[in-house]
């Protein structure tokens, strides 16, 4: 079975045709539980997310800040496995019809088996993989497997990425480019900063792929700001906070849905 890279491209193209940025939501699988995680990620789509990222919880993340690390720890302590991540992708896509990507560090994929992981992700209806710590020069085996199974390979670029490096990264990637808005880890911030716009402009000079910005966006105002120059706005920590701070799961789900609706209004302010 082929993955859903075409669906991903179509959804991003539709947002562009509507003269707006796409809204991308992130939550780790298995948080607060596997079943409730499926409900929470589906609620993001119900609220207004165009596509979603399912995180594969990792014990030693290099990109994730303390909020997402807390959620990962909850999932790992409950025993979440890769099979649960694949199940989450399958059930969220089946429930929403939205493109669903897996965001993961490379080691779990390497240990699981590149071909096996790609095949199972595609069979679950996945649209692709975001791999923040996989060096482009070492990505050949994954990219070949991803292409065979109809999956996007999304690489991360940062303000520190030089133009020569940007050219190599964007040439190897597919689906979209994940632009980290700043140097540091994920987390909500007071402002996104000018670095993000400059990075998007430099990235676009090297590729025709959509450029989506993450790290720091937490409210409609920031989403509207980023939507002025990016093809997509990625939000993760703010959704995790809604679940962490809620007194119960149902309240958390309602908060996730409401936040997605608010952010969706923000990205449409460009239209």
């Amino acid at each position: 079975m082929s993955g859903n890279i075409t669906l991903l491209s179509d959804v991003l193209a539709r947002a562009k045709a509507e003269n707006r940025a796409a809204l991308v939501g992130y939550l780790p699988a298995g948080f607060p539980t596997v079943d409730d995680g499926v409900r929470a990620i589906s609620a993001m789509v119900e609220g207004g997310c165009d596509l979603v990222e399912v995180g594969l919880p990792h014990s030693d993340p290099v990109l994730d800040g303390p909020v997402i690390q807390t959620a990962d720890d909850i999932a790992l302590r409950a025993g979440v496995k890769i099979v649960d991540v694949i199940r989450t992708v399958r059930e969220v896509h089946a429930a929403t019809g939205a493109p669903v990507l897996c965001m993961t560090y490379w080691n779990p994929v390497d240990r699981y088996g590149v071909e096996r992981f790609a095949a199972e992700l595609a069979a679950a209806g996945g649209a692709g993989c975001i791999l923040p710590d996989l060096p482009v020069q070492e990505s050949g085996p994954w990219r070949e497997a991803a292409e065979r199974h109809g999956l996007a390979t999304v690489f991360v670029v940062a303000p520190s990425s030089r133009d020569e490096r940007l050219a190599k990264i964007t040439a190897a990637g597919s689906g979209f480019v994940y632009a980290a808005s700043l140097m540091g880890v994920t987390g909500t911030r007071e402002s996104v900063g000018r670095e993000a716009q400059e990075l998007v402009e430099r990235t676009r000079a090297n590729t025709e792929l959509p450029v989506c910005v993450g790290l720091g966006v937490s409210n409609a105002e920031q989403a509207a700001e980023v939507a002025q120059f990016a093809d997509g706005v990625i939000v993760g920590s703010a959704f995790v906070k809604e679940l962490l701070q809620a007194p119960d799961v149902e309240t958390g789900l309602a908060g996730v849905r409401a936040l997605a609706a608010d952010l969706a209004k923000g990205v449409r302010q460009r239209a």
Side-chain angles (χ1 to χ4, degrees):
M1 180 176 177
S2 181
N4 273 313
I5 186 173
T6 301
L7 174 63
L8 172 64
S9 298
D10 288 348
V11 166
L12 289 167
R14 184 166 66 242
K16 183 177 181 179
E18 294 173 359
N19 192 35
R20 66 175 179 86
L23 178 59
V24 187
Y26 166 94
L27 279 174
F31 169 72
T33 65
V34 176
D35 288 341
D36 288 333
V38 170
R39 296 174 67 202
I41 298 169
S42 299
M44 291 194 299
V45 178
E46 294 162 6
C49 285
D50 298 286
L51 56 139
V52 287
E53 303 170 7
V54 173
L56 196 162
H58 197 277
S59 59
D60 188 26
V62 296
L63 185 68
D64 299 316
V67 172
I68 291 175
Q69 286 185 33
T70 298
D72 279 2
D73 187 59
I74 290 170
L76 290 169
R77 287 178 183 275
V80 71
K81 304 293 185 186
I82 287 180
V83 65
D84 300 308
V85 178
I86 298 297
R87 175 190 152 198
T88 299
V89 171
R90 179 185 300 109
E91 294 189 5
V92 170
H93 177 63
T96 66
V100 184
L101 296 102
C102 177
M103 186 166 187
T104 178
Y105 297 99
W106 179 242
N107 189 55
V109 177
D110 190 41
R111 290 286 300 273
Y112 196 71
V114 172
E115 177 66 24
R116 179 186 178 193
F117 189 88
E120 291 185 9
L121 182 60
C129 227
I130 302 168
L131 299 157
D133 67 338
L134 176 63
V136 170
Q137 62 270 25
E138 299 175 15
S139 66
W142 166 260
R143 287 189 287 124
E144 291 167 8
E147 186 173 356
R148 278 196 302 274
H149 292 285
L151 298 169
T153 297
V154 179
F155 289 112
V156 178
V157 298
S160 62
S161 302
R162 297 185 177 183
D163 290 346
E164 180 182 357
R165 181 69 176 164
L166 285 175
K168 291 180 179 179
I169 292 172
T170 56
S174 56
F176 64 90
V177 180
Y178 187 125
S181 65
L182 42 76
M183 298 303 296
V185 296
T186 59
T188 60
R189 289 174 171 81
E190 293 298 321
S191 62
V192 177
R194 187 176 299 173
E195 281 186 325
Q197 184 169 356
E198 293 174 351
L199 176 59
V200 169
E201 291 170 355
R202 291 197 297 119
T203 304
R204 281 192 176 138
N206 289 281
T207 185
E208 293 186 0
L209 288 173
V211 183
C212 301
V213 171
L215 275 69
V217 177
S218 61
N219 56 51
E221 291 73 23
Q222 291 174 339
E225 176 190 353
V226 174
Q228 299 304 312
F229 57 83
D231 299 298
V233 179
I234 303 171
V235 181
S237 295
F239 283 118
V240 174
K241 276 187 175 181
E242 288 292 335
L243 292 169
L244 284 174
Q245 296 174 353
D248 54 68
V249 172
E250 296 305 323
T251 302
L253 294 176
V256 164
R257 194 176 290 106
L259 176 59
D262 192 42
L263 293 164
K265 291 178 183 176
V267 302
R268 284 166 172 78
Q269 287 183 25
R270 188 175 76 179

